Amino acid sequence: MKRREFVKISLIGAGGLAAFGSLGYKFGSIFWAKEGTPLGEEYANLRIPTYCEVCFWKCAGWVYTNSKGEIWKIVGNDLDPQCNGRLCPRGTGGIGMYSDENRLKNPLIRVTENGIQTFREASWDEALEYIAIKMREISYLYGPETMALFNHGSSGKYFTELLQAYGSDSFTAPSYAQCRGPREVAFYNTFGEYINSPEPTDILNCKCLVLLGYHLGENMHNSQVQEMSNAIEKGMTIVTVDPRCSTVASKSKYWLPIKPATDNALMLSWINVLIQKGWYDKDYVNRYCYGFEELKKHTEQYTPAWASTITNIDEQSIEDTAKAMYDAAPSVIVHPGRHNTWYGDDTQRLRLVAILNALLGSWGRKGGFYFPAKATISKYPKPDFPQLNTTWRKELKGKYPLADMSVSNAIIDMSIPDPARSFTYKGWIVTGSNLNLTIPNTARTLEAIQNLELLVVVDTMPMEITGWADVVLPECTYLERYDNIRLEQGREANIALRAPVHPPKYNSKPAYWIARQLALKIGLGKYFPFEEHADELDWELQQIGTSLSEMMEVGVKVFPRNESEMFIAPDATRTFNTPTGKIELYATAFEKQGFDPLPRYVPHEEPAHGFFRLNYGRAPMHTFSRTTNNPLLHDLMSENTVWVNPQIAQEHGIVAGQDVWLENQDGVVSTFPIKVRVTERIGLDSVYMVHGFGHTDKRLERSFGRGASDTELITRVHVDPLMGGTGMRGNFVKFRLSDPRGKEV
Ligand SMILES: Nc1nc2c(c(=O)[nH]1)N[C@H]1C(S)=C(S)[C@@H](COP(=O)(O)OP(=O)(O)OC[C@H]3O[C@@H](n4cnc5c(=O)[nH]c(N)nc54)[C@H](O)[C@@H]3O)O[C@H]1N2
Ligand SMILES: Nc1nc2c(c(=O)[nH]1)N[C@H]1C(S)=C(S)[C@@H](COP(=O)(O)OP(=O)(O)OC[C@H]3O[C@@H](n4cnc5c(=O)[nH]c(N)nc54)[C@H](O)[C@@H]3O)O[C@H]1N2
Ligand code: SF4
Ligand SMILES: [Mo]
């Protein structure tokens, strides 16, 4: 029998539900009632500050309760620069995360009964004791550095601290190697600064916005979408490069329906045109940039005529759009995008984006990129973390040398024993990340899981990853807990508070409490000196001249600054944080590591006959797989569809609304069928679907079996050699009109 089977049956016998530890949650002058107390009048007509956890824009809002003390609505906080008082549909539907009756309710421990693996409900004390014993054993037998943490979202901070206290630096998030890592490496090695989140793009004052596969409007990053609509009203030109007619493509002056995987050819030819025609900011380039002559020579070969045969975009459109950028410069943004891990040469693609911005002089310029500000809060003095025996970077042995954060897929790889390697991860804590739908090549993730000595999953929902855990710990939702003070960058530094609106439902707990209790059991309690999280937050807030009680009243605080600090002053001298002190058109650090200092065009594999490139993206009413079971958002969109061009539909005898199965190049067939959407908005060589659907865990009663999962069809991964990003768009699918596994249609 496999070490771990996916637990898909309902629970067996309930274990003890004894509550554990201190149960009083307090804020301001209000003290929470004991656990299990029904919600009631004491919570009536409250207005509690929060910031949203439905995606990572973290908009600040107010949660209102009604006269019965039930959560009534969430609205945006007017003071918050990240939302300007308005939440997106998902943020408004955040209440559904709280009210979802499928939530995890009790800690669960994997047991084998009559030869079948299942979960049994356990008390917190028992579940934490189980983990603590295992973690002590792993530390003793293999060293603490063999424990890794996968995290995404607010809960990650506390488990990161726990892991540091334990002796490991292997904490990783899918927001790096499955998301924005390539742009961070590319911009850092060009401008000496990261993009980070929220992107410091001055869209409000922008005159020409260039979006390469960044489908803003479907990707609902709140204030960015608001700024874009305002700028459109002010006459901003939009250039959208997308093989699919996205929502924003339909609002753009120029939509360039590029052949997928050829963006680098287009950008090289844009650079060629800007330089050859003299359409670049000469003063800015002379003053601040390094490697212009090399770039000029390198791009001579990449003419629009050359690019048009590769990209299917005509020469005139290439020139016209280059001119539109130059006319708007420096108030132009060639947007770095966010989910960047497409084809494996993504860091080089983002280097081209960075170079275009440098030539147009938009970095540090009004209507381009501003220099962001961010508040810092002193940390309560705690003992130093122990010395590390080894680090994730050392264990990579020189692989992905430009990665500046840990690479989740590399940690997965290093969890599978290999005689050629002395180091193997032995235990994982996973919090706020549904790895099965998040990391491509699920089979590899599962292989790694089968080799672990311990898998702990902290989640709010019975997501796929929980089905593989040894211990499942139910976290309460963001509406039921305090969290770390939001410290996001922006035009002005700002902070936001999240406070609980109700005590945690069921037997769920905040991550702070869970991490602290675990620390106490492992003997690391000194790293979590505050029994009450609220007390630590209050201490931190006082260090920057406010307090928990003031933040309960305002929710958000902005620290104003002068606009002159946001941009480079005319004629200013400036040193950039790069090896040459200049903006590096020619990346010297890349050259040093043996990578191309100037990006080249490398062709990618094309779909074989009968196959279509698998393209995927976002829908405005959902966030990945985390919202598909949310009762409110499920009502807005209950399943995804596969977009098929009418000509292709006709050739394959497929009609709108029909169920099809998708089979990829490696013979993997989607577990569930997906309905066809016949639309001109997708080209002849690709199909498109929204990510996050096709749940296979039956405990997700609403979303189980609704739609199909893009992730299970992404079995071929093109890893970026510079930083380890998992290129996911080199997969191809064909249609199966009935289930090839022989099930009834
Ligand atoms: N195939 C494919 N893969 C992708 C992408 C894609 O488009 N297609 N996108 C990539 C990108 S850009 C990113 S950023 C990543 C995102 O990857 P993830 O962050 O892993 O995305 P989700 O699938 O939403 O998983 C979030 C998990 O957190 C849980 N959760 C929600 N709220 C809480 C909470 O308050 N506490 C705890 N402990 N858990 C909570 C949810 O129930 C869910 O299990 O995925 C990447 N992977
Ligand atoms: N509603 C909602 N909003 C979200 C999220 C969410 O889950 N839901 N997630 C957030 C997160 S973490 C992220 S990272 C962002 C992701 O948002 P984006 O960075 O915008 O996402 P991508 O998946 O990179 O982009 C998808 C678009 O790229 C196009 N595309 C596909 N192949 C190519 C190609 O070869 N060339 C070009 N030029 N375009 C191509 C697709 O047709 C699609 O329109 O969204 C964020 N915002
Ligand atoms: S953009 Fe929407 S989902 Fe994301 S944090 Fe803001 S309100 Fe929440
Ligand atoms: Mo992302």
Side-chain angles (χ1 to χ4, degrees):
M1 189 166 67
K2 278 202 252 152
R3 191 172 201 159
R4 286 180 188 83
E5 286 168 356
F6 179 60
V7 175
K8 46 183 184 258
I9 57 164
S10 53
L11 306 177
I12 55 157
L17 299 181
F20 175 66
S22 145
L23 298 170
Y25 295 93
K26 74 171 183 197
F27 67 80
S29 59
I30 302 171
F31 285 78
W32 289 125
K34 282 266 181 205
E35 181 134 348
T37 309
L39 311 176
E41 278 174 10
E42 59 210 293
Y43 307 109
N45 302 318
L46 293 175
R47 185 181 93 149
I48 304 289
T50 192
Y51 58 86
C52 183
E53 184 79 14
V54 187
C55 88
F56 305 102
W57 207 249
K58 301 186 189 146
C59 300
W62 291 108
V63 191
Y64 289 87
T65 57
N66 65 14
S67 58
K68 291 188 202 138
E70 298 155 349
I71 294 180
W72 170 38
K73 62 174 181 182
I74 311 181
V75 299
N77 185 324
D78 291 334
L79 300 177
D80 184 27
Q82 262 151 256
C83 80
N84 307 306
R86 284 158 62 195
L87 300 184
C88 86
R90 296 167 298 153
T92 310
I95 296 170
M97 277 173 116
Y98 165 81
S99 61
D100 194 328
E101 70 288 358
N102 292 158
R103 274 173 61 174
L104 291 169
K105 298 183 175 77
N106 287 293
L108 304 171
I109 296 181
R110 175 182 296 266
V111 289
T112 303
E113 296 263 320
N114 303 323
I116 295 172
Q117 293 186 8
T118 182
F119 285 131
R120 131 179 121 67
E121 288 182 353
S123 68
W124 276 100
D125 193 25
E126 211 182 342
L128 295 170
E129 190 69 32
Y130 179 108
I131 300 166
I133 290 172
K134 262 296 190 206
M135 281 179 70
R136 277 201 296 257
E137 193 179 293
I138 287 175
S139 176
Y140 178 75
L141 290 175
Y142 313 106
E145 61 281 358
T146 63
M147 272 300 296
L149 168 71
F150 294 80
N151 74 99
H152 203 188
S154 316
S155 60
K157 174 172 186 277
Y158 312 111
F159 292 99
T160 300
E161 284 173 5
L162 176 70
L163 221 65
Q164 285 174 303
Y166 176 77
S168 168
D169 78 337
S170 293
F171 23 90
T172 189
S175 46
Y176 188 73
Q178 283 66 50
C179 180
R180 58 193 171 84
R183 76 172 194 201
E184 304 300 344
V185 175
F187 275 64
Y188 184 75
N189 286 282
T190 309
F191 298 106
E193 276 167 89
Y194 297 107
I195 294 282
N196 285 328
S197 177
E199 291 81 10
T201 44
D202 189 18
I203 297 179
L204 206 52
N205 298 302
C206 177
K207 299 198 183 105
C208 177
L209 178 63
V210 184
L211 303 172
L212 293 124
Y214 190 58
H215 57 332
L216 206 49
E218 284 154 291
N219 138 20
M220 279 299 288
H221 276 160
N222 195 340
S223 48
Q224 242 188 140
V225 180
Q226 293 182 30
E227 289 197 17
M228 180 172 73
S229 359
N230 287 344
I232 291 173
E233 274 174 29
K234 286 198 283 179
M236 174 176 73
T237 300
I238 304 181
V239 178
T240 296
V241 182
D242 197 316
R244 183 182 67 102
C245 184
S246 60
T247 307
V248 68
S250 64
K251 299 191 186 329
S252 302
K253 176 161 181 195
Y254 301 97
W255 168 41
L256 306 182
I258 194 169
K259 181 170 162 185
T262 66
D263 294 63
N264 291 12
L266 170 67
M267 285 191 279
L268 283 161
S269 71
W270 270 342
I271 294 172
N272 170 294
V273 175
L274 295 182
I275 295 179
Q276 298 305 322
K277 303 241 180 216
W279 292 344
Y280 62 96
D281 190 330
K282 297 181 190 75
D283 178 57
Y284 186 95
V285 168
N286 286 339
R287 205 181 274 269
Y288 304 123
C289 294
Y290 172 84
F292 178 78
E293 288 306 322
E294 287 87 342
L295 177 70
K296 182 175 175 184
K297 188 156 188 308
H298 173 73
T299 51
E300 269 163 14
Q301 55 185 313
Y302 299 123
T303 60
W306 164 83
S308 68
T309 60
I310 294 173
T311 59
N312 292 346
I313 301 170
D314 63 275
E315 286 176 58
Q316 194 59 49
S317 300
I318 294 176
E319 278 201 24
D320 290 349
T321 45
K323 182 75 171 34
M325 292 180 224
Y326 178 63
D327 287 345
S331 300
V332 51
I333 298 168
V334 185
H335 202 288
R338 187 151 172 137
H339 173 56
N340 296 148
T341 48
W342 298 358
Y343 301 107
D345 56 355
D346 304 298
T347 307
Q348 294 291 11
R349 186 179 77 252
L350 272 297
R351 270 273 299 149
L352 289 166
V353 173
I355 291 170
L356 282 164
N357 283 299
L359 291 175
L360 294 160
S362 67
W363 185 258
R365 305 291 282 281
K366 194 161 179 166
F369 294 78
Y370 59 81
F371 298 122
K374 187 172 175 175
T376 47
I377 289 192
S378 344
K379 295 279 154 226
Y380 186 80
K382 290 178 192 175
D384 289 341
F385 293 125
Q387 285 276 326
L388 297 170
N389 298 326
T390 184
T391 64
W392 62 264
R393 185 180 295 285
K394 269 194 214 150
E395 295 307 329
L396 275 178
K397 311 262 184 237
K399 223 173 167 187
Y400 316 137
L402 290 152
D404 35 28
M405 287 175 77
S406 62
V407 178
S408 47
N409 36 302
I411 289 183
I412 291 174
D413 290 343
M414 289 194 282
S415 302
I416 299 172
D418 177 350
R421 209 185 45 233
S422 60
F423 180 87
T424 310
Y425 287 100
K426 295 291 181 182
W428 295 356
I429 299 174
V430 179
T431 182
S433 185
N434 189 15
L435 298 186
N436 303 61
L437 268 72
T438 296
I439 312 277
N441 194 355
T442 319
R444 187 139 181 95
T445 309
L446 295 182
E447 191 187 345
I449 287 176
Q450 292 303 352
N451 282 290
L452 295 176
E453 305 276 323
L454 175 69
L455 174 56
V456 179
V457 177
V458 186
D459 207 301
T460 53
M461 294 295 299
M463 292 285 184
E464 283 71 13
I465 185 64
T466 63
W468 297 97
D470 299 316
V471 186
V472 180
L473 301 177
E475 189 176 10
C476 56
T477 67
Y478 71 104
L479 298 169
E480 301 156 293
R481 64 185 197 229
Y482 286 107
D483 257 310
N484 48 312
I485 307 298
R486 187 194 82 181
L487 297 170
E488 295 285 280
Q489 65 178 22
R491 288 189 176 86
E492 295 174 316
N494 59 81
I495 59 170
L497 175 69
R498 174 185 287 162
V501 189
H502 280 306
K505 250 189 177 182
Y506 312 116
N507 196 13
S508 63
K509 300 283 185 192
Y512 179 85
W513 184 91
I514 303 172
R516 182 169 186 272
Q517 296 304 322
L518 205 45
L520 288 169
K521 283 193 179 287
I522 307 174
L524 302 170
K526 62 183 177 184
Y527 295 97
F528 292 83
F530 289 94
E531 190 176 332
E532 294 292 346
H533 194 192
D535 292 339
E536 180 168 30
L537 298 178
D538 196 22
W539 185 91
E540 289 178 354
L541 288 166
Q542 288 184 28
Q543 310 309 304
I544 48 164
T546 174
S547 64
L548 191 57
S549 53
E550 191 200 5
M551 288 302 289
M552 288 299 293
E553 297 300 319
V554 292
V556 168
K557 231 178 145 78
V558 178
F559 302 88
R561 69 168 175 160
N562 224 315
E563 195 186 274
S564 63
E565 296 167 64
M566 297 177 205
F567 304 110
I568 307 179
D571 304 330
T573 51
R574 193 177 177 93
T575 307
F576 294 83
N577 180 30
T578 56
T580 56
K582 300 245 172 197
I583 296 173
E584 295 200 354
L585 303 174
Y586 186 99
T588 56
F590 283 22
E591 185 173 44
K592 209 169 150 196
Q593 295 290 349
F595 298 113
D596 290 334
L598 292 165
R600 287 181 300 128
Y601 174 69
V602 182
H604 291 287
E605 189 187 345
E606 310 231 348
H609 181 70
F611 280 86
F612 303 89
R613 190 181 291 278
L614 177 64
N615 183 1
Y616 56 82
R618 318 274 169 237
M621 51 297 259
H622 281 291
T623 305
F624 316 119
S625 72
R626 66 171 51 206
T627 54
T628 37
N629 204 67
N630 174 316
L632 302 171
L633 300 176
H634 176 86
D635 279 355
L636 296 179
M637 178 179 178
S638 57
E639 60 192 287
N640 58 355
T641 56
V642 58
W643 295 29
V644 180
N645 183 278
Q647 187 183 322
I648 302 299
Q650 200 184 22
E651 281 170 21
H652 285 76
I654 298 171
V655 294
Q658 180 177 346
D659 274 341
V660 295
W661 283 256
L662 299 175
E663 177 173 343
N664 82 355
Q665 71 282 334
D666 297 326
V668 174
V669 182
S670 58
T671 307
F672 304 110
I674 179 169
K675 290 201 163 40
V676 171
R677 172 176 173 188
V678 177
T679 171
E680 297 275 1
R681 300 181 82 142
I682 186 85
L684 298 172
D685 55 359
S686 321
V687 294
Y688 175 80
M689 64 203 277
V690 169
H691 168 64
F693 288 86
H695 277 292
T696 53
D697 199 313
K698 287 191 169 143
R699 295 172 298 170
L700 299 165
E701 290 171 307
R702 265 177 297 276
S703 56
F704 170 80
R706 301 298 297 269
S709 155
D710 57 335
T711 314
E712 66 179 350
L713 299 167
I714 304 177
T715 50
R716 198 181 287 174
V717 184
H718 297 277
V719 180
D720 190 324
L722 284 86
M723 48 62 70
T726 50
M728 315 206 238
R729 294 223 171 108
N731 287 263
F732 308 101
V733 293
K734 64 180 176 186
F735 305 112
R736 301 294 300 239
L737 304 188
S738 60
D739 187 345
R741 286 157 299 213
K743 290 181 218 146
E744 284 292 311
V745 179

